[in-house]
Amino acid sequence: MQTPEALAPQVVAVVVACDPGEWFEEELAALAAQDYPELSVLILDVGVEDLTDRVAAVAPGAYVRRLERNLGFGASANTVLQMVEGASHFLFCHDDIAPDPEALSIMVEESFRSNAGVIAPKYVRWEDPRGLLHVGMTVDKGGAIVDRIEPGEIDHGQHDSVRDVFLAPGGCTLVRADLFAEIGGYDPQIFAMGENLDLCWRAQVAGARVMVAPGARVRHLQLLASGRRGLPDDVRNAVPRLFDASSVHGHDVEGRSQRAADEAEGAPARRRRVLRARRVRTRTEQVTLQSLQRRHELRAVLKNYGHFHRFRVLPQLAVSSTAEILVAWATGHRDRAAAVVHAWRWNVTERATLREARAKVQATRRLDDASVRRLQLHGSARLLAYLRRAVTYGRRAARLGHIDETEDAEGGTTAAADAERCIRERATRSARVVVWAAVILVLVFGSRQLVGSGFPYVGQLLPFASWSSFLHHFTSGWQPSGVGTTSAATPGTGILGLGGLVLFGGVGLLQKIVVLGCIPLGALGMSRLVGGFGSVWARVASSVAYLVVPLPYDALATGRWDALLAYAACPWIVVRLARASASSPRDRSEDGPEVGPEVGPEVGAGRISGGPAVGSEPLALLARSGAGAAGRRAPRWRTTLAGRALGLGVLEALLTSLAPSGAVLTLVLTAGLALGTLVVGGRGALKSSGRVVAVGVGATAVTTVLLAPWSVSVLAGPARWQELAGLASAPRSGATWGALLHLGVGPIGDTPLAWGFVLAAVLPLLIGSGVRLVWAGRAWVLAGLAWTCAWAGGRGWLGALSVPGEVMLVPAGVGVAMAVGLGVAAFEEDLPGYRFGWRQAAAGLAALLGFVATLPVLEASASGRWDLPANGYGEATSWMAQRSPGNFRVLWLGDPAVLPGGAWQLSTGLAYELSENGLGDATSLWPGSSPGPAGAVGAAVRLAESAETVRLGYLLAPYAVRYVVVVNTLGPSTVGSQPALSRSPPSDLLTGLARQIDLRQLISQSGFEVFVDDAALPERALRPSSPVGRAGAGHGATSTAPSSTASGAPAPGSSPALSGWRAVLRSAPGSTHVTGRVDAGTIFDAVAPASTWQLVGSTAQNQRAQLAFGYAASFRLVRPATVTVRFSGSWRHGLAVGAEVVLWVVVLGALSGRRRWLGRWRRRLGRWSGRWLGRWSGRGVDHGVSTVEGLE
Amino acid sequence: MSQSGSHAEPVAASESSSHRLQGLFVGEVGRRLRLLFAVVAIVAGVATADGLVGRSGSSSFPAAGSATWATVNSSDAESSAWFCVGGSGTGGGALGTLVLTNATAHAVSGTVLAAPTGGADRSTRVSVPAEGQIGVVPAQVAQGSWVAATVLLDGGGVGVSEVVTGPLGWSSAPCASSTSSNWYFAHGSTASGASLSLSLYNPSTTDAVVNITLDSSSAGVVQPPAYQGIAVAGGSLVVENVGDHLLDDPEVAAEISTSSGTVVAAELQSTPQAGGGGGSSLLLGVRSPVSEWEFPQNLDPPGGSLVFHVFNPSDHEASVSVKVGLAQGAEQPLSLRVAPRSGSELVAEHEMRIPTSGPYSLEFHAAGGVGIVVDREVLAQAGSAFPRAGQVHGVAGGAHRALLPAVIPPGTGASSLAISGLSSHPVVVTVRSAVRGVPLAGLDRRVVQPGRPLIATPQPGSPLGVVPLLVEASGPVAVELDASATGAPGAVVVPCFALG
């Protein structure tokens, strides 16, 4: 009589082993320990190492069969069809699994009980069996695999019901032997990743059930799927080449790669670099796990569907694949795009084998596709999963999601920890999404009116000129500031011109982007700055704190563009200085773990517990050691002091070109960080501080070079420091120390609630430890320095270096926001280490204060324009152009804080500027460090202010100043509807202007006053009679000839030099040439320098200008003619601008890390020179260069 | 040092050897304390400095000195202008004469533009000799009932005042060197036959719209409709008779403001006395109220009266203390409370602490920076010489250098010169002749103590009042030059100019 064991069907466990590690003995032991009585174990050894001894030691009864080479799991397993007879089932096993002792019994029982052809167990993690890996899988109609469980899910028995599934995951699969033989086993073309999908699909086509028996538990190490076991080289390099059969197997690629490597060994340095780059490129085309997965999924679709469904599904699949490629490319997920492309390419190249396989499938078909698809998911599982991840975790997480689609890469950690981390990260990310969504909502809501209607002409928010005007301003060599100057224009105008060009002339949109974009850009920089501390909430808190400090909104409300730019740039500058403070890159391992600002918690190990030892450089956390998030390695030279100075210099140059105070600000940041490093102390503090100073100063030097010739002209000017630092308001308007401390120097921050963040920022000093305390200290010292500078500058104690408070407070804002973020990090990391006490209370209070501090900005958002005045001086002075016969100038006087545009300082709290035909545009924001001849206008105003003249109109007349506008407020003030920042000019000014007998006051209302000078000459005028006298026509008392007999008011403007002129040649403001017909006489052009202007006429003789009124140009015209008055610049200016552009291109190219184009140009130059030399010497082309080109 | 996040208290004593500092300032605890100390030091230190330094220019009221004294700009100025108003034409009761005093060493030429009421403007060229003084009668340039004038000079260093003469005597007031949108007068009277005229002159080319508010002791604050929206065209003169709206009112203060444009305002007070005589006073308005006023020299007229009028045009009550300066000894200050937008008066003879026998100075100080306007009214005993009544504003702010024109009307001279220091320190003063540049005897480097005015009377042959004088002081001083041959001391005061 047979025993029950003898009645059990024969099962052969087929283990495909490829050089397994120490876990293999555990697997063998597990198989040997199965309670199933009729189990035979067959080891198919496909690796290099002979496993016979190892198998014999653990499972003496097992059979070992060595295969000649690794054909892949499926092809290797198929050999059992020839090797084994009489088996009822095959148990196909990977070499990294360990089934529980009763697993096989349960699977076999279930196979018989359910009459299933394929049975899958429940897979759990190798080291922590509580963590689920797979309990059966399913697919959509496109073959995309979808797991039934969530990543990190803990096994509570929730999936323990037996059920039909579409796919039995690989690892330990029980297959009925007859079914396996009928369908021809695994697809031999599938090396790995997808063989079970194809097998299960075909099994179902053949009428078999695929089921999961969760009672059978198998631990799985997932070596291949997790990437810990690499693909064989022949598979990895088997990049398909369409229409090139020889390349399908990868030999060509491998050979070329190897050839390149071989050549690199003995090649010169330059060629080695090229060859190395070539090798890198070759590697990027290798087959990846993702590629395998995608191509085998597609193969299963192409093979296993019937005709109807194949032609129905295929177009959908093509469309979705195309869209996926485009999206992946657009979002930078090139590996994903490459995998999709690879899938289609490979299947095209495998079309022959595909046809054969499809025929076999159809031969075994017992069920139609509709029946097979009953277990498939509807819709596109991949698209849904991508969207879900993108919405839940962000775009980067969505990109990484492909790992989750197949296997979990985190095999090395415990399941519980992984699950906990996963849940925590998901909750964190969801909260982050909510926080950022709220922030964006507030920003958009608060800026809705500005986005819709644009900016009023107040402060520095002047309208942008056209892109061509910007570029013309940059390249022409003449600026209309004052009465004209040939000083170089700031490259900022060129940058804005290019920006307008990129936006197809939409300079209005450009202005909104540049102005409003500063706010999120600054927050992004702050997030980057604090990102290195590994706390997601620290990043969120610091970014939100930086977003909610009143500074940017006060800057908007007061029209301070420079403050906004500083707000955007300062965190980035601090990031770079912080990196510079780290130890030398030579001291760090290039392959060491990187937890830097670029590596967010999403992709990095992230969290930093504690901190480095005292004196060790905590900035290593912030310093980027070389590798980027995507694995790209930055050029090594960029991590040197010079490289960092160059990088920071470019950033500083960009800032300074738009806001000259950026240079001073960078030095303040440098000083603050260096001082903070010294104050905090520790080992290497002095060295670290020195590095910061070196990089900061070096960056300023780089900025000077990059911005030349503008920087040279600024530094050479008499008011160089005013140009760089900005103009100082009257000391009486300096903010109080309290206002500075809570960063409230404007209308929005002028509330006690704004103290919240400052007080909350104290928290890390109280509870922080390690790196958080170190950096909190540095942040506070930085803030303290900025506060002190702003306070001293507000009182005029810093002289010409008194940076306006709105700008100088930005570093303080950076320090406060950074400290707030560090407080959150300390709360997460340090607080749990303390006993319950006052620290917890302090943390709670800080959180409350932080919340309270957001209220002023939330309230300010209600206006939709951040309290920016609705009307500016552009509208209020638009009537001027209609009233004046020709071109004219407007003299603007007032406190620099409220004066629209850029200006020159006249006295403390009083500045002046000139504009043409009304309010100027944004090009007037950079007036230069010297007013040139326009300085006489300022001198005349000073005479009036000091009661030393009553004929200011007479003095201003030769400068074509028709209107004098004295501004008291930021914008025209309307009681009840538009309160505006008020900064009255010195009282003597209005008294002095009121004293002038030749100025007529037109408008005197709240906000501004307008005087008109009726005697002013037009900017271009013609006097038919006598020419302009050079000496007598000058301004001064000598030309005064008041009438002694005429009745009426004294007529000081009735000087012969100022009478008899009429306007001609009207043009747009800032024009460097104007054409028109003019009668005979003397043409006066109120522009300087006179020597750079000339008259060109069709009938008149070309002539250089003569000097008039000591500065202006005049021409004699003997007969009526059509003439052109134009600026004739110097060729040196064009050369300088060209050199500047080339320098920027070279520096940016070098910093981008993509120097191939440089090499390409260098090689081209070499080739050209070679050809030339060859021609010259008769030797032909340089073959060395050709060889390199060939490799390319 | 330990970086563990699970320690109960982050103590760093074991790592102290790696630090230079010992004791408490060691390790992480030391670092924490050091940082907290640095933060507190910065915040508290700057806060202390901020509190000590404060901010300059925070006063809501303009600096004193610009309120009453006109400033003669420097000699190298490009040009200067003066606006004179209040005098009548040749047929009026107060014929105006412009007095141009040149303090410089070179002649200054210019133009006098006369703007009469109801007539055309006319101008004439003038030249003021170096260190000299000339008189110009605007009524001779342009005919009209009232004539205002603009003096436009091709340089600086020249002060211009106006002297009005008539049946009731004469008076003198400085011309304005700038226009203003506000003018204040502390006192006027329409009682007992007195007439009060307000002259509004707009020397600019911008039209002005003027509103006049009167503060009457009987009617309170009055804004007569006819005095609202008075159009004063550019270059024109408008004269309003207050008596047309406030009859027989002994206390009238006036506040003139413009809705647009700026003007120059002056007050001509004619006070006939019963039995003949009286006085005529010309006052240039005060552009802005200030909190401190100084009267360097006061003397009760025998049989007459000396009254100080305090006008508070602000919306806050003014608490005014009056400090009496004596040549010897000291008196306790008096105090006044002046309600908002109202006036008050201090009658000298009613105050026991004010001496009756000798000269003294008075300093009015309004607490809290409240701006007030103070003038002094002198009424001489009937039968005294003309003029028997006079009115003059106090001095606000003073100057380091002052120009004193010579007394123009024939037969008059200076009765006394008083100089009082306005600072809390002794001031060294020198009075010299502008013509010869030599100090006056007895007035060379005299020390003026705070609260003790220096009073000098001319000796025979003294140039005091005869030639222009320059006062130079090491600190701010207030100067008052009283004219002689008047009914009472202080009835007529020669206007002073601050030298820029």
Side-chain angles (χ1 to χ4, degrees), chain A residues 878-886 888 962-963 1000 1002 1066:
Chain A
S878 59
W879 50 268
M880 290 178 175
Q882 282 81 40
R883 287 196 180 188
S884 302
F888 62 95
R962 183 165 179 77
Y963 297 100
R1000 187 161 47 92
L1002 282 184
R1066 185 157 191 164

Side-chain angles (χ1 to χ4, degrees), chain A residues 448-796:
Chain A
R448 62 189 184 279
Q449 289 192 21
L450 300 178
V451 172
S453 61
F455 303 105
Y457 300 166
V458 297
Q460 297 171 337
L461 299 181
L462 297 184
F464 273 19
S466 66
W467 66 269
S468 56
S469 295
F470 271 130
L471 289 179
H472 178 73
H473 192 78
F474 176 56
T475 57
S476 69
W478 184 79
Q479 297 183 69
S481 58
V483 293
T485 175
T486 51
S487 298
T490 170
T493 55
I495 293 170
L496 292 178
L498 289 177
L501 181 61
V502 168
L503 293 177
F504 303 102
V507 290
L509 176 62
L510 176 67
Q511 187 182 26
K512 290 172 185 173
I513 292 174
V514 172
V515 173
L516 296 178
C518 287
I519 298 176
L521 186 60
L524 188 62
M526 181 53 65
S527 175
R528 181 67 61 92
L529 177 59
V530 183
F533 293 93
S535 166
V536 175
W537 284 112
R539 297 178 67 175
V540 172
S542 60
S543 301
V544 170
Y546 196 58
L547 274 173
V548 181
V549 293
L551 291 173
Y553 312 103
D554 281 335
L556 259 179
T558 55
R560 295 303 304 235
W561 190 31
D562 54 354
L564 279 170
L565 289 168
Y567 176 86
C570 274
W572 299 95
I573 294 174
V574 176
V575 165
R576 294 194 167 273
L577 288 172
R579 287 176 186 165
S581 72
S583 56
S584 167
R586 295 176 185 277
D587 300 337
R588 293 194 300 270
S589 167
E590 289 191 0
D591 299 324
E594 176 191 353
V595 186
E598 286 78 11
V599 184
E602 304 96 319
V603 295
R607 188 168 304 283
I608 303 298
S609 295
V614 173
S616 68
E617 186 45 69
L619 280 176
L621 294 173
L622 294 164
R624 188 171 155 184
S625 61
R632 289 192 301 270
R633 192 170 297 281
R636 188 182 179 89
W637 66 269
R638 274 165 46 183
T639 60
T640 62
L641 276 182
R644 293 194 187 282
L646 185 62
L648 179 59
V650 170
L651 177 60
E652 183 184 345
L654 277 173
L655 173 63
T656 306
S657 67
L658 295 172
S661 57
V664 180
L665 212 55
T666 302
L667 292 177
V668 171
L669 290 169
T670 301
L673 211 52
L675 186 62
T677 305
L678 290 177
V679 170
V680 170
R683 194 170 58 240
L686 190 61
K687 180 182 177 185
S688 182
S689 178
R691 289 177 59 85
V692 171
V693 172
V695 169
V697 174
T700 303
V702 170
T703 298
T704 306
V705 174
L706 283 176
L707 298 185
W710 174 77
S711 56
V712 174
S713 67
V714 167
L715 293 175
R720 60 183 77 93
W721 304 122
Q722 288 177 359
E723 173 72 4
L724 287 174
L727 305 184
S729 291
R732 66 178 182 276
S733 64
T736 63
W737 180 236
L740 293 174
L741 280 183
H742 71 258
L743 308 174
V745 291
I748 294 176
D750 189 16
T751 165
L753 298 181
W755 279 98
F757 275 130
V758 181
L759 297 176
V762 181
L763 183 65
L765 296 181
L766 299 176
I767 69 170
S769 66
V771 65
R772 288 164 293 282
L773 178 61
V774 166
W775 273 96
R778 295 181 183 181
W780 268 98
V781 173
L782 172 63
L785 180 67
W787 277 323
T788 307
C789 289
W791 176 74
R795 275 141 190 81

Side-chain angles (χ1 to χ4, degrees), chain A residues 610-612 614 679-682 731-732 734 736-737 741 764-770 773-774 777 780 788 791 795 797 829 833-835 839 947-951 991 994-995 997 999-1001 1042-1044 1046-1050, chain B residues 1 3 5-10 19 28 31-32 34-36 38-39 42-43 46-47 49-50 53-57 73-74 76-81 83 111 113 121-125 152-154 177-179 205-206 261-262:
Chain A
V614 173
V679 170
V680 170
R732 66 178 182 276
T736 63
W737 180 236
L741 280 183
L765 296 181
L766 299 176
I767 69 170
S769 66
L773 178 61
V774 166
W780 268 98
T788 307
W791 176 74
R795 275 141 190 81
W797 293 351
E829 297 293 334
Y834 292 105
R835 289 187 296 270
R839 293 181 180 85
E948 294 185 359
T949 185
V950 292
R951 296 184 294 203
T991 305
R995 189 183 292 121
I997 62 171
L999 289 183
R1000 187 161 47 92
Q1001 190 165 15
S1043 168
S1044 60
S1047 63
Chain B
M1 70 172 281
Q3 294 303 317
S6 60
H7 53 287
E9 289 289 341
H19 296 274
E28 190 160 276
R31 170 176 293 160
R32 192 188 311 281
R34 198 165 59 231
L35 288 174
L36 286 172
V39 170
I42 291 175
V43 172
V46 180
D50 191 52
V53 173
R55 283 177 296 164
S56 61
N73 52 12
S74 63
D76 54 355
E78 190 271 340
S79 60
S80 58
F83 312 112
T111 301
L113 171 71
D121 298 351
R122 306 292 293 180
S123 64
T124 184
R125 291 289 294 176
L152 176 63
L153 299 165
D154 301 334
S177 56
S178 65
T179 59
T205 55
T206 307
T262 56

